[in-house]
Amino acid sequence: MQKYDNYIDGKFSQSKSGQIRKIMDPANGEQIATVPESTKEDMLIAIAAARKAFDHGPWRKTAALDRGKALFKIADGIRAKAKMLAEIETKNCGKPLPEAEYDVADAANCFEFYGGLATKIHGETMSVPANSISYVVREPVGVCGQIVPWNFPLLMASWKIAPALAAGNTVILKPSELTPMTALELAKIIHESGLPEGVVNIVSGPGVGAGEELAINKDVDKIAFTGGTATGRKIMTAATGNLKRVTLELGGKNPNIIFEDCDIEAAVDGALFGAFANQGEVCSAGSRLLVHKSVHKQIVDGMLAKISRIKLGHGLSEGTKMGPLISSDHREKVESYIKIGIDEGAKLICGGKRPTSADLSLGNFLEPTIFDHVKPTMRIAREEIFGPVLSVIPFSTEEEAIELANDSEYGLAAGIWTKNVVRAHRVSQALRAGIIWVNNYHPTFNEMPWGGYKQSGHGRELGLHGIEAYLEIKQININLDETPIGWY
């Protein structure tokens, strides 16, 4: 069993209160680690360290080339420990090992991408009006509070820390109290990379007390949050105290649209992967499957024929395709939605139960679940369930599909399955979502922006837009005419 410490001001330490949290493997209930149960007091120390490091330390004055090299070194550190990190990720949050391995590799790629981008932060110049030079520079925002969720612990930490460091900021990261292990392992890698003290601080603890202090505290210049929409609203409200910059990546109830001219086999695979990858615990999950009536039966029959291939089990067991949900409480929440769907009159065509095999009885497992003939007004079609529950909604025309897809308070992602390239472009432009996949679902690229419309969030992560979120823009004007203006 592993014992972890917070990482504050270049040092590892337990919480000031001495309180710890036991971390359990959601697949079998076994304790795998202890972590600090930090409070406001610990967060205040971390904020002070980050503030001092930004205002008086060397990091923001470090040459961009050297900042980039530091990020490359972190990427190398992640790759050197990739096997260990993937196994920890699997045991901490339940996902199958191949998915965790992909996440770890992508985390290293993220640090490498922003390491290269550190030297590409450009300004602008102009010589109007006459006898003057005006120019624009981009400077770091300052102290950045960052809060990440439990479904992609290491990857989300990398998405936030890497661009902030490339831009010259200092950070305080709070991982989810349920899945802090790989973030705290990342702290060790960052420490070994030789970053100055206080530049990166990683503090484990709950949202109440530790997390909320990042949003409230006036020494924090920016807050970046990934998680539920309700919590995002609270963070945005709390951030008004000093009008700190806010980036929010929130929930989704994402449509995955299958048209009559699709490749049926590819669409079936895409529907299942879109809904059940990472146990459906994905903000961009394709949990609303909009299917043209002419291929409805083929798609549903195809999914039912393949769903038995989604093997449930411990993520470290060979052949596992879906692991447990993160906690027993979350499983009960998902189960409550399954009951709601049945009560609302949707047709449960598979799943909906806990597996009965003895080897799964101690974990938070739930069968992949599909409801057919779901009405767009039903709660299971409108509310984010964040679990392995798919709602199938038939449609008749392209116009109806677009209307159904956009009829949501969310707008994070959407999928389109069609062989018609003109339709693909036309529907992509009509959908009110920040990420559109055509004949695919779920790929994410460090080079491209990630974020949503409407209540799916505010701002973008990744790509060039991701680093812009950590930069301030400053206008500087130089008068070349030394003659007094003679105004008075």
Side-chain angles (χ1 to χ4, degrees):
M1 186 181 69
Q2 183 72 41
K3 178 184 176 182
Y4 287 97
D5 294 321
N6 287 328
Y7 182 59
I8 300 175
D9 204 15
K11 303 174 185 65
F12 293 93
S13 61
Q14 284 292 302
S15 66
K16 288 297 181 181
S17 67
Q19 295 180 12
I20 61 168
R21 176 183 287 262
K22 297 177 181 178
I23 302 298
M24 306 297 184
D25 184 332
N28 53 29
E30 293 180 1
Q31 184 177 342
I32 53 177
T34 62
V35 300
E37 184 78 337
S38 304
T39 64
K40 175 180 176 178
E41 183 182 7
D42 302 292
M43 194 58 76
L44 287 172
I45 296 170
I47 292 170
R51 185 79 263 167
K52 180 181 177 182
F54 182 78
D55 292 339
H56 306 292
W59 183 247
R60 68 168 169 159
K61 298 177 183 177
T62 297
L65 181 63
D66 292 328
R67 292 202 304 269
K69 289 178 179 178
L71 268 66
F72 293 151
K73 195 169 183 179
I74 295 171
D76 290 342
I78 292 172
R79 291 196 181 100
K81 298 182 177 181
K83 184 176 185 295
M84 177 198 69
L85 290 169
E87 290 177 355
I88 290 174
E89 198 84 313
T90 291
K91 290 197 290 185
N92 196 179
C93 63
K95 65 180 63 187
L97 182 62
E99 293 184 28
E101 289 172 337
Y102 178 87
D103 292 351
V104 172
D106 208 33
N109 292 341
C110 184
F111 274 98
E112 210 160 61
F113 172 74
Y114 283 108
L117 200 58
T119 56
K120 317 304 187 294
I121 301 171
H122 296 159
E124 308 157 34
T125 62
M126 63 182 298
S127 57
V128 177
N131 297 318
S132 72
I133 293 177
S134 297
Y135 62 97
V136 170
V137 295
R138 288 174 168 82
E139 298 181 340
V141 170
V143 175
C144 302
Q146 303 175 325
I147 302 174
V148 296
W150 44 258
N151 54 343
F152 293 92
L154 180 63
L155 192 56
M156 294 293 99
S158 302
W159 282 20
K160 287 180 169 51
I161 293 175
L165 293 183
N169 298 282
T170 60
V171 304
I172 309 104
L173 177 86
K174 192 200 84 66
S176 166
E177 63 270 28
L178 299 177
T179 57
M181 293 175 66
T182 49
L184 295 171
E185 290 288 349
L186 179 61
K188 299 175 185 177
I189 294 170
I190 289 171
H191 183 73
E192 291 165 4
S193 76
L195 257 64
E197 294 179 354
V199 171
V200 174
N201 306 271
I202 300 180
V203 181
S204 173
V208 176
E212 65 186 357
E213 185 60 33
L214 286 176
I216 295 169
N217 195 288
K218 294 182 180 180
D219 279 334
V220 177
D221 301 300
K222 174 183 169 64
I223 186 80
F225 170 77
T226 298
T229 298
T231 304
R233 291 194 193 98
K234 293 178 181 177
I235 286 175
M236 181 169 270
T237 299
T240 61
N242 65 333
L243 295 178
K244 56 173 60 70
R245 297 269 292 275
V246 178
T247 303
L248 302 173
E249 200 269 277
L250 307 176
K253 191 67 179 178
N254 310 288
N256 199 2
I257 309 170
I258 298 179
F259 287 103
E260 69 276 15
D261 60 352
C262 70
D263 179 312
I264 294 293
E265 185 177 359
V268 167
D269 284 350
L272 292 173
F273 187 71
F276 301 126
N278 206 66
Q279 302 78 246
E281 295 171 323
V282 187
C283 56
S284 57
S287 56
R288 287 191 293 151
L289 191 67
L290 310 183
V291 184
H292 193 276
K293 289 180 178 179
S294 66
V295 294
H296 173 263
K297 187 176 188 305
Q298 288 176 275
I299 295 296
V300 169
D301 288 349
M303 289 194 297
L304 291 177
K306 284 192 170 184
I307 203 161
S308 61
R309 302 182 190 179
I310 303 178
K311 178 186 174 183
L312 273 65
H314 195 292
L316 296 180
S317 298
E318 189 171 352
T320 293
K321 295 295 183 182
M322 196 169 94
L325 299 186
I326 188 62
S327 67
S328 58
D329 287 346
H330 185 61
R331 179 172 63 174
E332 289 176 5
K333 175 192 170 186
V334 175
E335 288 174 323
S336 73
Y337 272 104
I338 294 172
K339 183 179 185 303
I340 287 168
I342 294 170
D343 292 344
E344 287 181 319
K347 184 179 179 182
L348 180 64
I349 59 174
C350 72
K353 302 184 297 295
R354 301 181 183 187
T356 56
S357 58
D359 60 324
L360 303 179
S361 62
L362 297 178
N364 306 315
F365 292 95
L366 189 64
E367 295 173 343
T369 301
I370 302 177
F371 283 99
D372 196 8
H373 295 288
V374 175
K375 295 180 180 179
T377 55
M378 292 179 176
R379 287 181 63 189
I380 59 169
R382 305 199 68 81
E383 299 177 16
E384 185 177 37
I385 299 174
F386 218 69
V389 180
L390 177 62
S391 296
V392 180
I393 304 172
F395 68 87
S396 299
T397 66
E398 181 181 308
E399 293 73 21
E400 182 187 6
I402 292 170
E403 183 177 351
L404 289 170
N406 287 336
D407 182 22
S408 173
E409 66 184 24
Y410 299 108
L412 182 55
I416 301 168
W417 298 85
T418 178
K419 294 178 181 178
N420 185 329
V421 66
V422 176
R423 166 178 275 168
H425 283 287
R426 184 171 60 237
V427 176
S428 293
Q429 291 185 12
L431 295 178
R432 297 281 295 162
I435 305 143
I436 309 292
W437 292 294
V438 178
N439 297 328
N440 207 341
Y441 207 93
H442 276 321
T444 306
F445 308 102
N446 290 306
E447 299 81 3
M448 298 296 285
W450 180 273
Y453 289 23
K454 298 186 276 188
Q455 294 190 46
S456 285
H458 176 71
R460 293 293 183 271
E461 295 188 305
L462 298 183
L464 300 178
H465 300 271
I467 201 167
E468 289 290 344
Y470 289 95
L471 292 166
E472 291 282 16
I473 296 174
K474 178 185 286 183
Q475 175 193 161
I476 300 174
N477 300 281
I478 308 296
N479 180 20
L480 302 181
D481 184 352
E482 297 181 88
T483 304
I485 61 174
W487 191 266
Y488 298 107

